[in-house]
Amino acid sequence: MRLTGPLRAVAVVLLVGLTWLLANTLFGGESASSVLHFFSGTSEEATPEPRPRKYKCGLSAPCPPKHLAFRLVSGAANVIGPKICLEDKMLVSSVKNNVGRGLNIALVNGVTGELLETKTFDMWAGDVSDLLKFLRPLHEGTLVFVASFDDGATKLNDESRRLFEELGSTAVKDLAFRDSWVFVGAKGIENKSPFEQRMKNSKSSNKYEGWPESLEMDGCIPLRPPLES
């Protein structure tokens, strides 16, 4: 005997109910739920895991009040240029077309966080006197962000290394041909800077043929109080 009309609908409902009860008894609630989704034609979608929140310049945590968020990335070999990010603004990058072989430097007002100037100094074929003229007249409290690209050391002389040491560098005295280097210092700093990394150029450990791996460093720099007049 064929079921028609309302009787067929009742039979389908009873069949689904009995199937659900059987699945619930044998396998528990999750499998029963899957059976219902199967009969209803809907599918369960996995809940995506929340992405880790990123803060200014890609930091994993926000900086405290009156601090500047920064990220420095040295160049990769002689192919990918360096980056200098401050407060979520890219100061130096290949996209901005203001990078070059050697030392890429950004000067920032240490009281206001305002960008003062960016400049590149070729330490392979350039003139170190240009770098000296740039560093000598820095004002008290000026922040100095440095990221190397390709070779940042060949043309450095004793005075240029001393000027970086006065800004808080401890690695510049040993910086050599094609070493990777990122550094944040300040004019008038009393102690050595905690923001510095150097990767030595070594055939036995280089990531790229002829160059060490790129360095990446980020953090939070406290703003200086206004200087007393």
Side-chain angles (χ1 to χ4, degrees):
M1 181 180 64
R2 294 183 179 180
L3 298 177
T4 59
L7 291 177
R8 177 179 292 179
V10 171
V12 170
V13 170
L14 289 174
L15 177 61
V16 171
L18 290 172
T19 305
W20 180 84
L21 288 172
L22 180 61
N24 191 56
T25 303
L26 294 176
F27 304 109
E30 291 185 1
S31 296
S33 177
S34 298
V35 172
L36 287 176
H37 282 294
F38 173 78
F39 279 102
S40 64
T42 60
S43 60
E44 288 184 289
E45 295 183 1
T47 303
E49 294 185 4
R51 294 182 179 179
R53 183 175 177 182
K54 295 295 183 181
Y55 297 86
K56 292 180 179 179
C57 291
L59 271 65
S60 59
C63 289
K66 297 184 179 180
H67 282 67
L68 301 175
F70 78 90
R71 180 182 297 274
L72 295 179
V73 183
S74 67
N78 61 347
V79 179
I80 302 175
K83 296 178 182 179
I84 300 178
C85 176
L86 183 70
E87 284 293 285
D88 234 16
K89 296 179 181 179
M90 198 62 68
L91 306 184
V92 172
S93 71
S94 297
V95 174
K96 293 181 69 69
N97 197 30
N98 63 347
V99 304
R101 177 176 64 183
L103 298 178
N104 295 262
I105 302 178
L107 301 182
V108 173
N109 186 313
V111 176
T112 65
E114 176 188 3
L115 175 65
L116 301 175
E117 187 175 2
T118 64
K119 203 161 185 180
T120 299
F121 299 91
D122 188 342
M123 293 289 99
W124 171 253
D127 189 342
V128 71
S129 64
D130 294 333
L131 177 62
L132 296 176
K133 293 175 184 177
F134 186 74
L135 295 177
R136 285 170 182 158
L138 293 181
H139 295 292
E140 187 84 2
T142 301
L143 296 173
V144 183
F145 296 79
V146 185
S148 66
F149 183 25
D150 189 3
D151 174 34
T154 295
K155 287 297 182 75
L156 289 178
N157 59 11
D158 290 343
E159 183 181 359
S160 58
R161 292 177 190 270
R162 178 181 57 79
L163 288 172
F164 279 118
E165 287 178 345
E166 291 176 356
L167 296 172
S169 172
T170 57
V172 70
K173 64 179 183 297
D174 299 315
L175 195 67
F177 174 65
R178 285 185 175 173
D179 287 356
S180 293
W181 184 41
V182 287
F183 166 67
V184 183
K187 182 69 174 181
I189 189 171
E190 297 180 359
N191 302 308
K192 298 304 180 184
S193 172
F195 302 116
E196 183 172 32
Q197 293 181 18
R198 170 186 170 235
M199 179 66 69
K200 184 174 176 57
N201 172 23
S202 172
K203 290 183 179 180
S204 62
S205 61
N206 281 349
K207 182 175 182 179
Y208 312 104
E209 184 177 353
W211 290 270
E213 67 179 306
S214 174
L215 292 175
E216 186 170 338
M217 178 177 67
D218 59 33
C220 304
I221 301 174
L223 289 168
R224 291 176 60 112
L227 298 176
E228 295 182 2
S229 56

